[in-house]
Amino acid sequence: QVQLVESGGGLVQPGGSLRLSCAASGNIFSINSMNWYRQAPGMQRELVASITSDNSANYIDSVKGRFAISRDNAKNTVYLQMNSLKPEDTAVYYCSMNLIELRSYYYYDAWGRGTQVTVSS
C-alpha cells in the first residue's frame, strides 16, 4: 500500500520561510506528476504547484516568485520551498502524486494527510 507523508509545516512570521517535504513509500513503479494543494478554513482546496516527471513546474499566480517546487525521483519525494510567506498562505498543505504501483495497470492519485502552515506574527 502506498503512503504519502508530509512534513515541514509549522508556525512562521510573515516574511519567513518554510520547506515542506512529502515522501512516498510502498510498491511504487513510477510517478508522473507531483503536486501541492492547500486548503484554508472555509475555502475549497486549491492546487498550489505541480511538477511533471520531466521537471516542468507550474504555480498559481499568488505564489509565483515566492514558492518553488522540486522533486527527487530517487527518493520519491517532492518539496515545496516557501519564501516571503504571507498570512493568506495559512492553510493545510497536502501533497498528491499521480502514480502506478508494481504489477498494476493504471495510474491513480495518492494523497497525504496534510501539514499545517500558519503565517502569523
Side-chain angles (χ1 to χ4, degrees):
Q1 184 175 358
V2 172
Q3 286 189 321
L4 274 60
V5 179
E6 300 101 335
S7 61
L11 173 64
V12 64
Q13 291 186 343
S17 298
L18 284 174
R19 189 189 193 213
L20 305 183
S21 300
C22 174
S25 61
N27 295 323
I28 299 169
F29 177 72
S30 178
I31 303 175
N32 276 338
S33 64
M34 296 182 177
N35 314 288
W36 285 99
Y37 288 77
R38 68 186 180 187
Q39 187 167 20
M43 303 292 287
Q44 288 192 339
R45 190 174 298 188
E46 63 177 354
L47 177 61
V48 176
S50 63
I51 186 166
T52 64
S53 55
D54 60 356
N55 284 318
S56 176
N58 285 284
Y59 304 90
I60 56 171
D61 287 345
S62 60
V63 308
K64 285 181 179 177
R66 301 189 297 122
F67 290 11
I69 189 171
S70 60
R71 62 191 284 168
D72 184 334
N73 293 325
K75 296 181 179 179
N76 289 336
T77 298
V78 62
Y79 305 97
L80 187 66
Q81 178 67 44
M82 305 186 294
N83 300 323
S84 302
L85 282 161
K86 304 175 180 180
E88 51 263 44
D89 294 317
T90 296
V92 178
Y93 284 71
Y94 300 88
C95 73
S96 173
M97 298 185 187
N98 184 252
L99 57 86
I100 185 169
E101 296 187 33
L102 294 168
R103 296 179 293 279
S104 181
Y105 298 97
Y106 58 91
Y107 283 84
Y108 69 95
D109 292 327
W111 289 84
R113 294 189 174 184
T115 185
Q116 177 70 46
V117 171
T118 303
V119 185
S120 175
S121 55

